[in-house]
């Protein structure tokens, strides 16, 4: 009996190969999805081939980015959208990117706590991910997590970004539809949108529409859009929608606008253009990450170049090309 008990315990605690785990992901098993995302976050080499296969099995999901400055109410809005999509029978995936904990390096789980009630019915999968120091509003493994949810049959997949203001434009390289959320009465919010986020929005939403300041924020955004704030090369005109995530007022309007934008992308051919841009950015980003990882793992290989550049015997561009194995003259190529 003891031998049997030990055998069962060992089996229960055994590591499931990622190739086997991927089969359960394709079957939509939440535990397998959670484990595969964890392996993507950890950067496990053993999971690389399984993640690659899951990418090949996806490509059907509508990916929606929710961004905006801190305090705008992004998490509350996502919770309201989860309920709306669930009521329509959709299987919703959510990746909520949080600032890294200064102690553990993990995500600060406020987003997951706020969304847990909305996901309790089982029609949504919510995952918080830590940025782990990565700038731009997304975690390094965010897109791999999206791949896992896509392969598992979730659509839409909502990415809620950190909320870092004008630098948070990396979501463009991850989502098909970008919703920028503003809060009424925040002058800095409008300034941040002026500085960088205005151009990336497919839909503008203004939270807390029951506040008197909301109409002024809506008017300000409409005025800026009238001056040419929409995306270049697109026939889509970004709407500005006041919403209340708490009462649910006009959340249906936002849901319809998201669906209309998705239909527009497919009908106009812009979806293919966006998909190519996403893929191009992913390839370049992965190449950069692999390059950095190589020399982080073997810092001694970098030191001769660091010394040469420090001593002004070599300039940084020549050193970088040497690391890449490029022999061409950097100033003529």
């Amino acid at each position: 009996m003891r031998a049997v008990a030990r055998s069962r315990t060992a089996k229960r605690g055994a590591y499931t190969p990622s190739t086997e785990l991927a089969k359960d992901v394709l079957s939509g098993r939440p535990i397998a999805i959670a484990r595969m995302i964890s392996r993507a976050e950890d950067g496990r080499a053993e999971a690389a081939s399984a993640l690659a296969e899951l990418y090949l099995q996806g490509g059907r999901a509508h990916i929606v980015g929710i961004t905006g400055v801190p305090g705008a109410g992004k998490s509350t809005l996502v919770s309201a959208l989860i309920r709306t999509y669930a009521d329509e029978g959709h299987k919703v995936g959510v990746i909520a990117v949080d600032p890294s904990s200064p102690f553990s390096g993990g995500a600060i789980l406020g987003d997951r706590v706020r969304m847990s009630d909305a996901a309790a019915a089982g029609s949504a999968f919510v995952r918080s991910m830590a940025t782990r120091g990565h700038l731009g509003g997304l975690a390094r493994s965010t897109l791999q997590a999206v791949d896992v949810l896509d392969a598992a049959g979730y659509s839409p997949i909502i990415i809620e970004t950190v909320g870092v203001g004008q630098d948070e434009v990396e979501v463009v390289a991850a989502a098909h539809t970008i919703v920028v959320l503003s809060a009424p009465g925040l002058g800095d919010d409008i300034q941040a949108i002026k500085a960088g986020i205005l151009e990336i929005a497919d839909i503008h939403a203004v939270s807390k529409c029951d506040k008197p300041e909301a109409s002024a924020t809506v008017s300000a955004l409409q005025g800026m859009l009238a001056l040419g704030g929409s995306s270049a090369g697109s026939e889509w005109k970004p709407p500005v929608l006041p919403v209340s995530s708490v009462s649910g007022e006009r959340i249906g309007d936002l849901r319809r606008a998201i669906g209309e934008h998705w239909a527009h992308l497919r009908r106009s051919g812009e979806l293919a253009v966006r998909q190519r841009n996403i893929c191009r950015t992913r390839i370049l980003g992965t190449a950069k990450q692999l390059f950095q990882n190589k020399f982080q793992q073997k810092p001694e290989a970098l030191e001769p170049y660091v010394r040469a550049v420090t001593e002004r015997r070599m300039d940084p561009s020549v050193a970088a090309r040497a690391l890449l194995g490029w022999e061409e003259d950097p100033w003529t190529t």
Side-chain angles (χ1 to χ4, degrees):
M1 291 295 292
R2 289 181 180 176
V4 172
R6 282 197 298 268
S7 175
R8 288 176 178 171
T9 301
K11 186 175 182 181
R12 192 186 309 123
Y15 182 87
T16 304
S18 294
T19 51
E20 292 298 315
L21 199 61
K23 297 176 184 178
D24 289 336
V25 169
L26 293 172
S27 298
R29 291 188 61 191
I31 292 177
I33 293 167
R35 288 177 179 171
M36 188 62 77
I37 291 175
S38 293
R39 293 180 188 185
E41 284 188 284
D42 294 340
R44 295 192 185 185
E46 184 271 340
S49 61
L51 288 166
E53 180 60 30
L54 289 174
Y55 175 84
L56 298 180
Q57 297 296 323
R60 294 175 293 276
H62 179 197
I63 305 169
V64 180
I66 308 289
T67 188
V69 299
K74 296 187 297 296
S75 296
T76 310
L77 177 66
V78 171
S79 296
L81 283 172
I82 290 174
R83 290 190 293 269
T84 301
Y85 278 113
D87 288 344
E88 296 175 3
H90 290 274
K91 190 177 175 184
V92 188
V94 177
I95 302 296
V97 185
D98 286 326
S100 298
S101 164
F103 302 105
S104 66
I108 298 171
L109 300 180
D111 290 313
R112 189 182 296 175
V113 171
R114 284 188 289 272
M115 297 174 195
S116 59
D117 290 341
S123 56
F125 183 97
V126 178
R127 177 66 175 246
S128 274
M129 302 185 73
T131 57
R132 301 188 182 186
H134 184 65
L135 301 179
L138 301 182
R140 289 191 185 278
S141 52
T142 300
L143 297 184
Q144 288 181 315
V146 169
D147 295 340
V148 173
L149 290 172
D150 187 359
Y154 286 86
S155 184
I157 299 171
I158 299 173
I159 302 174
E160 184 205 334
T161 61
V162 173
V164 293
Q166 66 187 50
D167 294 329
E168 193 170 302
V169 295
E170 197 177 74
V171 70
V172 174
H176 302 121
T177 299
I178 311 296
V179 179
V180 173
L181 182 65
S182 303
L186 294 181
D188 290 342
D189 186 30
I190 297 297
Q191 292 302 317
I193 290 174
K194 281 185 179 180
I197 294 182
L198 183 68
E199 295 81 1
I200 73 171
D202 298 303
I203 300 167
H204 283 281
V206 177
S207 62
K208 306 168 186 175
C209 66
D210 53 327
K211 288 192 172 184
E213 301 93 338
S215 59
T217 303
V218 170
S219 297
L221 286 168
Q222 289 173 334
M224 285 188 285
L225 288 170
L227 295 175
S230 58
S231 301
S234 175
E235 297 179 358
W236 176 261
K237 303 300 180 185
V240 181
L241 303 174
V243 298
S244 174
S245 303
V246 175
S247 69
E249 184 178 352
R250 300 199 67 177
I251 294 296
D253 292 343
L254 176 58
R255 159 67 186 96
R256 282 187 290 275
I258 292 172
E260 288 168 2
H261 183 255
W262 180 233
H264 164 78
L265 290 177
R266 290 181 292 177
R267 182 177 60 251
S268 66
E270 290 181 29
L271 178 60
V273 175
R274 291 205 178 199
Q275 197 61 50
R276 283 196 298 272
N277 290 336
I278 290 171
C279 293
R280 184 179 297 109
T281 303
R282 287 192 67 172
I283 293 168
L284 292 174
T286 302
K288 178 181 178 181
Q289 182 178 341
L290 291 172
F291 181 76
Q292 289 178 329
N293 289 347
K294 176 181 178 180
F295 292 102
Q296 286 173 349
Q297 294 166 2
K298 293 186 176 180
E300 66 277 4
L302 185 62
E303 285 310 305
Y305 297 98
V306 174
R307 286 196 299 270
V309 173
T310 302
E311 296 169 2
R312 304 285 170 164
R313 292 184 286 107
M314 182 182 290
D315 94 294
S317 178
V318 172
R321 285 177 172 264
L323 287 172
L324 288 167
W326 294 358
E327 298 180 356
E328 308 98 287
D329 182 346
W331 308 116
T332 60
T333 58

